[in-house]
Amino acid sequence: MEPLSVLTPEMRQEAEALRREWAENPRWKGVKRDYRPEDVVRLRPSVMVEHTLAKRGAEKLWRLLHERPYVHTFGAYTGAMAVQMVRAGLEAIYLSGWQVAADANLAWQTYPDQSLYPYNSVPQIVKRINNALMRADMIERSEGKVSRDWYVPIVADAEAGFGGALNVFELTKAMIEAGAAGIHYEDQLASEKKCGHLGGKVLVPTAQHIRTLQAARLAADVMGVPTVIIARTDAEAATLITSDIDERDRPFIVPGERTPEGFYRFRNGIEAGIARALAYAPYADVLWMETSKPDLEEARKFAEAVKREFPDKLLAYNLSPSFNWKKFLDDETIAKFNRELGEMGYKFQFITLAGWHTLNYYIWELAKGYKARGMPAFVELQQKEFLAQAQGFTAVKHQREVGAGYFDEVVLALTQGEASTLALKGSTEEAQFTEEPAH
């Protein structure tokens, strides 16, 4: 480490301000950093770039997690999905790496959730979603009737980091540049990463994942954004670990057993998940233990163990479509599941893959009906859209929804009202969708 004397007076002043911020701002209560303000300052550029959407989103997410009984949402992977979710009233967007792997990655491939896609795919979808939300906002402003705050926080999946601490540092920066409010990292080996509900999961040592969390926090500090860092552990179901070097992991390692790849056998379960969550807690804002089934008693046991040592630590829960919900729970329990989780401290709750399941089922349903009955199948869908307008649905006017009217306003501004080439004027949408059709 070079001596601090290499800092300029201005850099010293910046470091001192950062030290006070960490010590005095309630946002950083209970957050541990194994690096100094001077390190952050030395890693920053001379001209700080403002990352408005990421900063605003992180601040809003943090506020919602403390003001609401819980924040619940589901996974989107297109801008249109996100716009409809916000229009329907959801206050956050979850961006699942599984969904990106399956249908929205920059390799243009269909992949299982095994970190096979290019590492910058999720940041690009974060940007795409933010652009779509911004367009919805701009359309409403141009119409003089802004109905809501369109810029909801996006919580993005950074997988196992696609490599070591330096990869995590760069990926976190890319997420922030794209406008992510929260980011989660899991404690699997990046080169063997699996969906939390697949087999063959390999954990890294506890200390290695702490380094991952610190790399993410350092990147956020360097960028000047209070990103919400979520630590996920897969210890409840993982069966392998790379090393026995960390003494905190040794109680869960099967002695004398190695796999052909050299991994150690790991005794999984909730106790292993709790041990890891407690180790991660000082370095994360939110803790998430991936589970094998929806179980309120298991959730309560985990929450109580964390809250005993870290009473203010927030929790997250994956309401996964990988679970056969009605196989495990009755209707009454399903109906109260969100509320009871919220009371335990699970403030962020999300259905990871709901966007993918919704798109597949409803496209399949329409295609099957259209194949069998022709146009009546689509007209039935259109009638449902018309009826939904009374509840705030607007996408029946698809030209308006994507901004045709907004860009007419651009033309009108440029021509000061003298244009004869406006897109919506004289359109079929204007003629046929101005009023709700009779039923």
Side-chain angles (χ1 to χ4, degrees):
M1 178 67 66
E2 294 185 35
L4 296 182
S5 59
V6 301
L7 296 179
T8 67
E10 292 78 12
M11 292 168 69
R12 286 179 178 277
Q13 188 176 19
E14 187 180 343
E16 186 54 38
L18 197 55
R19 183 177 285 105
R20 288 196 302 270
E21 163 76 9
W22 293 352
E24 299 171 7
N25 190 336
R27 168 66 178 86
W28 306 119
K29 180 184 177 182
V31 172
K32 184 177 180 181
R33 292 170 168 89
D34 292 335
Y35 50 84
R36 306 164 303 171
E38 289 81 3
D39 299 318
V40 174
V41 170
R42 291 175 63 190
L43 293 170
R44 284 177 171 175
S46 297
V47 177
M48 286 290 288
V49 176
E50 290 291 330
H51 300 286
T52 306
L53 292 181
K55 183 177 181 181
R56 185 180 186 275
E59 292 170 347
K60 184 175 182 180
L61 177 61
W62 190 250
R63 185 173 67 253
L64 289 172
L65 292 173
H66 287 83
E67 291 177 353
R68 299 288 189 267
Y70 54 87
V71 175
H72 60 317
T73 187
F74 56 82
Y77 60 96
T78 75
M81 286 182 185
V83 167
Q84 297 311 318
M85 291 165 67
V86 177
R87 191 176 294 285
L90 293 182
E91 295 184 297
I93 298 294
Y94 178 67
L95 179 51
S96 157
W98 192 104
Q99 293 190 150
V100 171
D103 203 24
N105 60 78
L106 296 180
W108 310 118
Q109 289 284 354
T110 297
Y111 284 131
D113 186 18
Q114 295 179 231
S115 290
L116 292 167
Y117 58 83
Y119 87 98
N120 58 336
S121 296
V122 170
Q124 286 297 304
I125 302 300
V126 172
K127 185 175 182 180
R128 176 69 190 92
I129 288 174
N130 271 322
N131 284 346
L133 297 176
M134 184 176 291
R135 179 67 70 209
D137 174 40
M138 294 163 72
I139 291 168
E140 286 199 342
R141 276 178 61 89
S142 73
E143 296 170 344
K145 52 177 183 180
V146 178
S147 63
R148 71 202 70 224
D149 179 359
W150 283 97
Y151 303 94
V152 303
I154 300 172
V155 176
D157 184 353
E159 307 278 10
F162 292 84
L166 297 182
N167 303 77
V168 170
F169 182 81
E170 287 296 293
L171 179 55
T172 302
K173 287 171 59 183
M175 293 283 203
I176 291 170
E177 289 171 345
I183 307 172
H184 69 78
Y185 285 95
E186 60 206 60
D187 56 2
Q188 292 190 46
L189 176 63
S191 61
E192 292 288 347
K193 178 262 176 343
K194 307 290 194 305
C195 168
H197 301 109
L198 291 174
K201 293 183 289 296
V202 183
L203 300 177
V204 296
T206 295
Q208 185 173 336
H209 194 56
I210 289 174
R211 191 157 55 250
T212 290
L213 299 173
Q214 284 287 271
R217 182 79 70 193
L218 177 61
D221 285 340
V222 167
M223 304 286 272
V225 176
T227 307
V228 177
I229 304 295
I230 302 173
R232 166 177 148 180
T233 179
D234 284 85
E236 192 264 354
T239 56
L240 303 169
I241 188 170
T242 60
S243 170
D244 64 353
I245 192 66
D246 194 316
E247 62 182 18
R248 291 168 290 192
D249 298 325
R250 290 173 189 163
F252 306 102
I253 294 176
V254 179
E257 288 195 28
R258 304 287 290 275
T259 71
E261 301 89 349
F263 302 135
Y264 292 80
R265 300 287 181 185
F266 187 81
R267 294 191 183 101
N268 58 27
I270 189 171
E271 296 303 332
I274 290 170
R276 288 199 157 217
L278 293 176
Y280 302 154
Y283 301 95
D285 300 309
V286 183
L287 298 174
W288 162 15
M289 180 181 72
E290 187 71 304
T291 61
S292 302
K293 61 182 184 298
D295 187 329
L296 286 172
E297 289 311 307
E298 181 185 61
R300 182 171 287 106
K301 184 176 180 180
F302 178 79
E304 289 175 349
V306 170
K307 295 290 186 176
R308 271 194 298 271
E309 293 195 32
F310 301 94
D312 297 325
K313 195 62 62 176
L314 304 175
L315 306 175
Y317 197 95
N318 176 8
L319 303 156
S320 177
S322 293
F323 306 152
N324 185 342
W325 282 79
K326 297 201 73 169
K327 179 177 181 179
F328 293 103
L329 306 174
D330 58 33
D331 290 342
E332 181 181 357
T333 304
I334 292 170
K336 69 180 182 179
F337 207 86
N338 294 102
R339 176 177 52 80
E340 292 211 1
L341 284 178
E343 292 171 354
M344 296 176 202
Y346 292 91
K347 296 298 186 178
F348 187 64
Q349 304 176 28
F350 49 103
I351 309 171
T352 44
L353 318 180
W356 188 87
H357 280 275
T358 301
L359 183 149
N360 279 275
Y361 177 77
Y362 285 106
I363 289 293
W364 176 86
E365 183 181 68
L366 175 60
K368 188 173 176 63
Y370 187 56
K371 169 68 174 176
R373 299 184 289 120
M375 280 310 296
F378 178 76
V379 173
E380 288 166 8
L381 168 64
Q382 192 176 58
Q383 293 303 304
K384 291 178 181 178
E385 289 185 300
F386 291 147
L387 290 173
Q389 289 181 110
Q391 299 174 295
F393 182 73
T394 62
V396 66
K397 298 180 182 179
H398 50 258
Q399 307 286 13
R400 177 262 175 204
E401 191 78 4
V402 299
Y406 174 84
F407 284 98
D408 277 352
E409 292 295 329
V410 174
V411 173
L412 288 171
L414 291 171
T415 63
Q416 289 298 287
E418 296 299 320
S420 60
T421 58
L422 299 181
L424 278 186
K425 187 174 178 60
S427 68
T428 56
E429 183 164 289
E430 182 184 63
Q432 299 180 32
F433 293 84
T434 302
E435 300 294 335
E436 183 177 333
H439 303 296

